[in-house]
Amino acid sequence: MTATGVRAYNSVWQFRADSWCRLEEAAERLSRAAASGKPTDHLVHSVEHLISDLLPFEHYWAFPGKQFFAQTQRLFTAGSYDKFARTVAKINRGLVTESYRSGEAVTSITGDHETLTTDNFQHDEQSSDRPERLYFEVLVVETMSEAQERALRKEVRNWRRPDDEFIYELVVVGSGDEAVIATRLNVNLQACVVRRRFAHKSGRDLSALGDFVDTQVSADLADHSPEERAQILAGSLSNIRPELDLYLMTEIEVEDVAGRLGHDFRRVFHAREGVLELHLSILHGVAERYRTPFFSALKQYSHRPTGVFHALPISQGKSIVNSHWIKDMVGFYGLDVFMAETSATCGGLDSLLEPTGPLREAQDLAAKAYGSRHTFFVTNGTSTANKIVGMALIAPGDIVLVDRNCHQSHHYGTMLAGAHVQYLEAYPLTKFSMYGAVPLHEIKGKLLALKRAGRLDRVKMVMLTNCTFDGVVYDVERVMEECLAIKPDLVFLWDEAWFAFARFHPVYRSRTGMAAAKTLRERLKDPTYRERYNEYLAERAQHPEPTDEELLETRLMPDPARARVRVYSTQSTHKTLTALRQGSMIHVYDQDFEQKVSETFHEAYMAHMSTSPNYQIVASLDLGRRQVVLEGVELVQKQIENAMQLRDAIDNHPLLSKYVHCLSTAELIPERYRPSGISQPLRSGLKNMQTVWEQDEFVLDPSRITLYIGPTGYDGDTFKRDLLMDRYGVQINKTSRNTVLFMTNIGTTRSSVAYLVEVLVKIARELDDRVGDMSQTERAIHDRRVGRQTCESTYMPDFSGFHPAFLDTNGSDPTAEGDVRKAFYLAYNDSFCEYLNSDEVEAKLEAGEEVVSATFVTPYPPGFPVLVPGQLFSKQILSFIRFLDTPEIHGYQPHLGYRVYTQKAIEMALPVAPQATQIEVGSNGSSAKPAAKRRSKAAGPASG
């Protein structure tokens, strides 16, 4: 019964919450029936099952705690149904309202009397004139008797002081495998104390806990000394929750143990001397994460009286509070936001461009939280963050491999840097008129082609979006590993604008740029990897030199002596975590940053950042960091829960499933990229999800729900604008021809999910009624509309190639990178450009003439440039834009058409008589050859 009950849920946390609610209802019914003398057998049976469902899980939370839960069970067994019902109601109320976090007393039943006790759950009298203390829980790993547990809790509580900022309760487990379970389950944990005596494997039956049991941990812990087991367990817990503070208590050779294991633990204590010091260290560790240096400095500054003889009349609200006409501004925003407005960089504040005080501390804390070596705050969005990284690392003429479907900031950034861009093709999803992600085969093919052409030394960077708008996530570690085997000093920029939250979930984390960079760096340093690499070389030496085609199908290994881990991640903190709009971060894990990049990075940062940054945005980044290191795991878990609830509510609804459905992993990721063979990992348990995320080239972010709406007959833009937004106030971000994208985030609530389901049902019901009332003619029109939205798109063009005027075709084996900056600035001379409408472009193509775009052309949807400056038009691109049938196309003016280069401009861009046509890009990027000679000498890179 237990396992079945849990398997009916996507989330064990929701299962626990619902089970307590059901137990309260069942206990109340049982109490009433018993009091009135009615039969109770079926009610007793129901309560027994609910208790059985909860029993395996209640060991891992401090509230109500396993001892109090056992006491509650005894009331039921003794037939004290009224007291049992009242106790369960109090527990459930504490869970639902989270009042237990504030130290509210819990009623315990002792004999025939109700008394307030601190034996099972501690509370301190809260003074009404001081703030409520913040609550967390601490995991203790040691084999103890019940009496020893009570004594430990009492000892810890005795050390509490009235002025403590935090209070905590203990969760005690006796084995390593249960420590892992508790760490995965209990989001209230902020610290873990590992004591010397604990079993490697629990003596309890853990089968009901399913996916949360890690048998490998038990195997790893067996047959080791206590200190070795503590070290192994610390590593396992850190992999699950890297933000947890870990402490070790030992009775023997504490100095020697501290020297050997200090790296794995925050502190090592002697068991008989260090309880008070441990208690203070636990509080201090949480206080360190709670600290917000810049927000606190800004708050303190805002309380100071100042005389402003500088910029910013709005500082401390002075231009507003005395105004006759704009006082409503204070009424709407509140006074504090203006009290914190200042241009000052001293007086306790700091400069974002040259931080030395609280801002530098805030960025250092963020680096620790996000697993980077350096973190930089950005106050004007990830668009600017991408340009900063590009300008810091790319010199004119450097070759950069860029996902063609990436955000426009990458296109503009590489143009400004003077990069020669080679675009990478993502796999197409023709049914939905959108693209997925770039296969590793494609990336390796481009690098190998550049190596064969003798241009690998010019390749500087790969830019990829992780995850994509639609939730497709790369195997980041493998991409970097295999690329470094070809180009050992390659730099990676992972645009994680929509993926900042991923750091704070144990499964997601492995596919983030910073986590993968650390893992890869540690692997390359490991002597066992060097041995495996030598074996790999020896194996290759026994065979002829592999061809590019063979290398494309081979798992490549980088040379540990040459490979440099150089990784940058840009994140829109404001998009998926708590921050004010435009609050973003740049995270750096670059072995060569100090020696090669820090100066140019500083210059790029100065070039793109404002000298008057918004301090409210900076402070919100500081606060958002505090939130995720203390409750990020809980918030992200709820985000995923809400997404799965939404998926189930839509796909299991009989009317909704008639018109819409949520696209599955199998629909968004082709089978060849899913070696696990699991087509529905989101609905098949945590273990399957972990398997998929470990094995598959691409995986799907569960918090992205792409809703296929083809059978409604509506296109995505109409469904978003006219129905969801205008009629019901539902905001969404992205659409395609026949899909709309819903995203849950850490602010999504179950009520908002319920509202969205309610709205979708209303839309489906109205549509169903309207279709039922249609005449034969109207139905035929509707069916044609549905047919258009459900048919496969035959127009999913690849990058058509740059015109030879913007290519470097030197060498016998030229490649396809183009000088976008040269093409971009050529258009600044109006006489070089003309406008052509679609029909005129098509006529020229039919006549065999080349038409070259002078601008970026970006239709929304899909939201990425289908044409860039210097790119050749193709019939496929024209057909694709027509098929999208969208009114919003940036770079296209309906009354004029497309801005293109004149033949005169192209002739001037070519230094000699044209003798070569475009470079045609192979489908896998492995070769690029001129179709016909049109010039003997390539145009060199222009500075613009």
Side-chain angles (χ1 to χ4, degrees), residues 450-477:
L450 287 161
K451 180 179 180 180
R452 188 175 59 249
R455 300 184 183 185
L456 196 61
D457 61 308
R458 288 176 49 199
V459 178
K460 177 59 69 71
M461 180 185 286
V462 172
M463 295 180 173
L464 295 168
T465 305
N466 189 52
C467 66
T468 70
F469 237 132
D470 303 287
V472 179
V473 183
Y474 285 84
D475 185 343
V476 176
E477 186 182 327

Side-chain angles (χ1 to χ4, degrees), residues 229-241 246 264-265:
R229 284 190 295 148
Q231 185 178 26
I232 293 167
L233 181 60
S236 296
L237 300 186
S238 292
N239 286 336
I240 300 168
R241 296 273 303 275
L246 302 180
D264 301 288
F265 294 90

Side-chain angles (χ1 to χ4, degrees), residues 6-38:
V6 177
R7 290 194 188 110
Y9 282 79
N10 292 310
S11 158
V12 71
W13 297 270
Q14 194 55 55
F15 160 76
R16 181 181 182 235
D18 286 0
S19 294
W20 273 107
C21 289
R22 291 194 179 99
L23 182 59
E24 180 185 359
E25 294 168 359
E28 175 63 24
R29 289 196 301 271
L30 175 60
S31 175
R32 288 200 308 268
S36 61
K38 294 179 180 178

